[in-house]
Structure formats: C-alpha cells, structure tokens
C-alpha cells in the first residue's frame, strides 16, 4: 500500500529534521477503514521499514502484533482519530524548541508564513489536571481522551514538559506542520531575544495563509530521499 510507504517516509523525514527523536511517532488513519490507524512498532523512527508498521483499532489495540511491541503512547493517536473525523494523520513529538513554550506560559505566535497555522492558537495540555504524579506520558485511554479534548479543533497542541501533538487532514500536512512548528518556536525565541516588540502575522494573514499550507512542494522531495535511505539500509 502506497500510504504505508508514505508512513515509512514520514518516520524518517521527522527524524531527519530533528522533530522526533528515538521516541516520537507518526500515524495515519487507515484509508480502508476510518476506525483503524497505522503506526510503527516501538523502535527508533529513523529505522522504520514497512514490516514495522502495525494496525490498530480506535481503542489502540493492535490487530496483528506478532510479537512486535506497541508504542506506549499510542492512545494519543486512537483518541484523536476518534474525536476528530477530519484528521487523517497525527504526529506526536518531543520537538525541543517547542517545550519551553509549554512550561512558561509564553504563547507560541505566528511569525513565519510557513507556520502560519500557529496563529490559530495552540492549546497546552496540562496532564496534572487529569492525573497527578505521572511520568508525563499518555499511556492510557483516559489521558489520550483528555489530550484530544485539549486539542479540540486546533492543528496542534503543546504538552506541558513533554512535547506536542500535531494533526492534519493529510500526512504531508501533519509532517510539514511538525517540521515548521519546531522552526517557528526557534525563530520566536530568537525574535524575542532581539526585541520584545515582535511583528507577528495578524489574523487576516493567518487566515489567508492557512489553505495554502499543504507542504506539497517539500513532500515529494522529502519522501523520495527518505525511501531511498530505507531501501539502501535493506542491502
Ligand atoms: Zn511522548
């Protein structure tokens, strides 16, 4: 299935851009059944091949694991697909430049056209409001549901002291948003270090930029390179 190759590529693209480290993950909703999704088993994303991809139902139970370990935070994906019928792809990451915004109360704002979606307003998931004393990981359906509720209809949500979750109505969009969210966070910190008077995108500019941002020019190039690497590693 071509979509599963896309998912292999997405794992590698996100790792290459420093968005997911050994622990982040990316999923797609099944094109054949909207009540199913695909995500790689618990291995480093930059090493993912087709045989590492597992299928889940929306309770995040694997359908045919055959001894392959599931990622502990898969409930993020299942619960978002359940509450957001428009979402076809989900990225959960520990993108380093985004985390400081999750712990300071300084809101991320849109200052760069490639990440205009930030201007929609990104909520921050406070896991303590749901459960105290966790290791911050979304390991249960209850925590997954609470995160999906915090995300609401937005393109992304920060997760306090942990990372973020980014969604899209296509995989290229969720991947592109994740790459540019990290860049935007870095740029905002740089801009704020230079001046407290930052000229952000205004509401009309955010609105005008949103439909254009599908990252379609970047995606084929990223995909081709990533799949060439995956193929080379097999030899
Ligand atoms: Zn995580």
């Amino acid at each position: 299935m071509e979509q599963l190759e896309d998912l292999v590529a997405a794992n590698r693209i996100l790792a290459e851009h420093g968005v997911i480290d050994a622990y982040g993950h990316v999923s797609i909703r099944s094109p054949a059944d909207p009540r199913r999704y695909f995500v790689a088993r618990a291995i480093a994303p930059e090493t993912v091949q087709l045989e590492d991809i597992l299928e889940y139902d929306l309770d995040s139970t694997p359908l045919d694991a055959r001894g392959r370990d599931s990622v502990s935070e898969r409930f993020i994906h299942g619960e978002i697909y359940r509450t957001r019928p428009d979402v076809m792809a989900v990225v959960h990451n520990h993108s380093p430049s985004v985390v400081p915004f999750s712990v300071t109360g300084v809101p991320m704002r849109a200052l760069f056209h490639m990440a205009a979606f930030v201007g929609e307003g990104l909520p921050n998931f406070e896991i303590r409001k749901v459960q105290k004393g966790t290791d911050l990981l979304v390991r249960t359906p209850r925590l997954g549901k609470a995160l999906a509720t915090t995300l609401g209809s937005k393109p992304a949500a920060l997760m306090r002291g942990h990372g973020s979750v980014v969604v899209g109505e296509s995989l290229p969009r969720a991947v592109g948003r994740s790459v540019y969210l990290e860049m935007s966070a870095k740029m905002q910190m740089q801009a704020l270090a230079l001046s407290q008077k930052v000229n952000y995108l205004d509401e009309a500019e955010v609105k005008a930029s949103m439909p254009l941002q599908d990252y379609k020019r970047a995606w084929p190039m990223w995909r081709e390179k990533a799949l060439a690497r995956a193929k080379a590693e097999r030899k």
Side-chain angles (χ1 to χ4, degrees):
M1 205 193 318
E2 195 190 327
Q3 288 93 344
L4 293 186
E5 279 201 334
D6 288 344
L7 187 56
V8 169
N11 275 276
R12 291 162 173 270
I13 292 164
L14 289 164
E16 194 195 0
H17 284 87
V19 173
I20 50 182
D21 50 16
Y23 296 96
H25 22 89
V26 49
S27 69
I28 52 168
R29 193 192 289 274
S30 167
D33 183 347
R35 294 161 304 168
R36 303 266 169 88
Y37 70 93
F38 294 97
V39 67
R41 70 188 173 99
I43 54 168
E46 64 182 289
T47 67
V48 166
Q49 299 278 4
L50 272 178
E51 61 271 22
D52 298 315
I53 297 193
L54 283 131
E55 187 173 12
Y56 293 85
D57 62 20
L58 294 188
D59 291 329
S60 297
T61 305
L63 300 178
D64 185 21
R66 280 177 279 134
R68 293 169 293 177
D69 288 336
S70 294
V71 292
S72 63
E73 295 194 280
R74 60 193 181 278
F75 304 100
I76 294 172
H77 303 266
E79 298 306 328
I80 289 174
Y81 289 125
R82 205 194 297 276
T83 55
R84 287 279 300 271
D86 60 310
V87 166
M88 295 304 283
V90 176
V91 177
H92 166 57
N93 64 67
H94 306 151
S95 198
S97 306
V98 176
V99 174
F101 290 93
S102 79
V103 296
T104 52
V106 176
M108 280 195 71
R109 293 185 63 185
L111 81 167
F112 172 46
H113 71 119
M114 293 299 289
F117 71 92
V118 170
E120 297 248 301
L122 308 185
N124 190 11
F125 177 61
E126 174 50 89
I127 198 166
R128 266 183 222 140
K129 283 188 184 161
V130 193
Q131 194 180 330
K132 292 202 184 352
T134 65
D135 59 4
L136 301 177
L137 302 186
V138 177
R139 292 177 187 278
T140 63
R142 182 167 164 248
L143 291 170
K145 270 188 194 96
L147 174 61
T149 303
T150 298
L151 174 68
S153 60
K154 301 294 186 186
L158 310 191
M159 299 162 73
R160 194 264 308 158
H162 179 177
S164 64
V165 63
V166 182
V167 301
E169 66 277 16
S170 70
L171 182 62
R173 208 170 202 198
V175 169
R177 279 174 169 171
S178 302
V179 168
Y180 286 100
L181 181 66
E182 166 65 19
M183 279 189 214
S184 188
K186 207 179 278 173
M187 286 184 196
Q188 189 175 340
M189 284 190 274
Q190 288 164 339
L192 286 169
L194 290 171
S195 167
Q196 288 302 306
K197 280 194 230 157
V198 180
N199 193 356
Y200 295 104
L201 269 67
D202 66 23
E203 216 173 293
E205 287 166 342
V206 168
K207 213 172 153 203
S209 307
M210 285 293 289
L212 303 173
Q213 265 176 358
D214 52 17
Y215 308 100
K216 271 197 185 140
R217 203 187 304 175
W219 176 257
M221 165 188 80
W222 287 344
R223 184 184 192 275
E224 198 181 315
K225 281 194 204 162
L227 292 180
R229 280 196 304 278
K231 203 175 162 193
E233 282 167 30
R234 280 200 183 282
K235 286 175 186 160

